[in-house]
Amino acid sequence: MKTKSWEVDLSADWETLRIILSDPKKTLPFFPYFEELKGNRVRFRVPRFIFNFGYEFEFNVGFGDREAIYTFKGERGILTVTFKMVGEKLRVTASWAGFGETLMGKPLENFAKGIATAIREFCSSAKCPGVKIERGDGKVENITPETAPAFLKRLAVELGTDFVVEGRAEDGTYLSARIEKGRLKILEVKTEKEESIIETDIPVVELGSELFEGLPLNKKFVVKAERL
């Protein structure tokens, strides 16, 4: 069996982490190498040298004492991903037993690192201040370059990988973001005097404040979000 682990600081308690991990339909699409999810069957495409090998698994999730275990069983082997709270850190361990085992060191390291980073971002976004979303509608206070990424990450947890969110402030400022396959594609901000349309291709979990700097935000928005 080949095993790799990665640790990240986590600004969330176990209960927040448990809630996020208990809905794999929303978290799995943001994992490295993810390709498709149908029912309880998951498909990853893992690079191996100059080839890409598809791996299809039957998926199960279980919980223990401050840990969660994702188990993927397929014809080529078994992939196990363990999420463990260690103090204020999250340790993600990815283990593979099966085809190409001796060559899977780097892919497993990338897998563990990417998963740990994604879960850390989702946990931090769960505490995004001033966000109230119910059935796709809500109010968001003081969106700033610092809070905008957390806001979109939180919506990704709730809505998945494909959605559109629109918002309007009291002064008429219009905000829109379109997410496709877990990546921000278009960001649009309009005021009476100017319009900014940014076309990009950044994974939601990698969004930072840089993209939003200089935009006329820092307002209270009434928002509406819907899945594509």
Side-chain angles (χ1 to χ4, degrees), residues 108-129:
L108 282 174
E109 181 179 328
N110 292 338
F111 200 57
K113 180 181 179 180
I115 293 171
T117 301
I119 297 301
R120 179 190 64 192
E121 294 302 312
F122 286 147
C123 284
S124 63
S125 71
K127 295 186 176 182
C128 182

Side-chain angles (χ1 to χ4, degrees), residues 94-107:
S95 301
W96 171 252
F99 174 77
E101 185 176 307
T102 59
L103 304 174
M104 292 296 285
K106 193 60 178 179

Side-chain angles (χ1 to χ4, degrees), residues 120-160:
R120 179 190 64 192
E121 294 302 312
F122 286 147
C123 284
S124 63
S125 71
K127 295 186 176 182
C128 182
V131 179
K132 296 181 180 179
I133 303 292
E134 293 182 2
R135 296 181 181 178
D137 298 329
K139 295 181 179 180
V140 184
E141 297 184 6
N142 300 324
I143 293 182
T144 67
E146 290 72 29
T147 61
F151 170 57
L152 291 178
K153 291 168 189 175
R154 174 166 177 175
L155 286 180
V157 173
E158 297 185 12
L159 300 177

Side-chain angles (χ1 to χ4, degrees), residues 32-211:
Y33 311 131
F34 174 84
E35 187 174 68
E36 186 179 43
L37 172 64
K38 289 185 177 181
N40 69 334
R41 299 197 68 82
V42 183
R43 185 174 177 82
F44 294 104
R45 184 160 291 278
V46 182
R48 179 173 172 263
F49 295 113
I50 61 173
F51 302 104
N52 285 327
F53 286 88
Y55 292 80
E56 185 169 302
F57 304 92
E58 183 176 336
F59 169 75
N60 288 289
V61 59
F63 290 90
D65 182 18
R66 291 172 62 82
E67 72 173 5
I69 301 174
Y70 282 12
T71 303
F72 305 84
K73 295 183 179 180
E75 293 182 358
R76 299 191 178 197
I78 298 176
L79 172 68
T80 304
V81 180
T82 303
F83 305 84
K84 180 72 174 180
M85 290 291 291
V86 182
E88 295 183 352
K89 291 182 178 293
L90 168 65
R91 178 187 296 155
V92 175
T93 300
S95 301
W96 171 252
F99 174 77
E101 185 176 307
T102 59
L103 304 174
M104 292 296 285
K106 193 60 178 179
L108 282 174
E109 181 179 328
N110 292 338
F111 200 57
K113 180 181 179 180
I115 293 171
T117 301
I119 297 301
R120 179 190 64 192
E121 294 302 312
F122 286 147
C123 284
S124 63
S125 71
K127 295 186 176 182
C128 182
V131 179
K132 296 181 180 179
I133 303 292
E134 293 182 2
R135 296 181 181 178
D137 298 329
K139 295 181 179 180
V140 184
E141 297 184 6
N142 300 324
I143 293 182
T144 67
E146 290 72 29
T147 61
F151 170 57
L152 291 178
K153 291 168 189 175
R154 174 166 177 175
L155 286 180
V157 173
E158 297 185 12
L159 300 177
T161 57
D162 300 272
F163 63 90
V164 172
V165 57
E166 296 179 304
R168 194 172 294 277
E170 292 182 355
D171 65 356
T173 300
Y174 172 80
L175 168 68
S176 174
R178 185 180 183 90
I179 310 296
E180 296 179 6
K181 295 183 178 179
R183 306 175 78 91
L184 176 61
K185 293 294 187 178
I186 299 177
L187 175 65
E188 184 177 0
V189 181
K190 293 181 183 179
T191 67
E192 292 182 353
K193 298 181 179 180
E194 60 181 335
E195 177 180 3
S196 298
I197 299 177
I198 301 172
E199 295 185 3
T200 184
D201 188 35
I202 302 176
V204 172
V205 295
E206 296 179 9
L207 284 174
S209 62
E210 299 83 2
L211 186 68

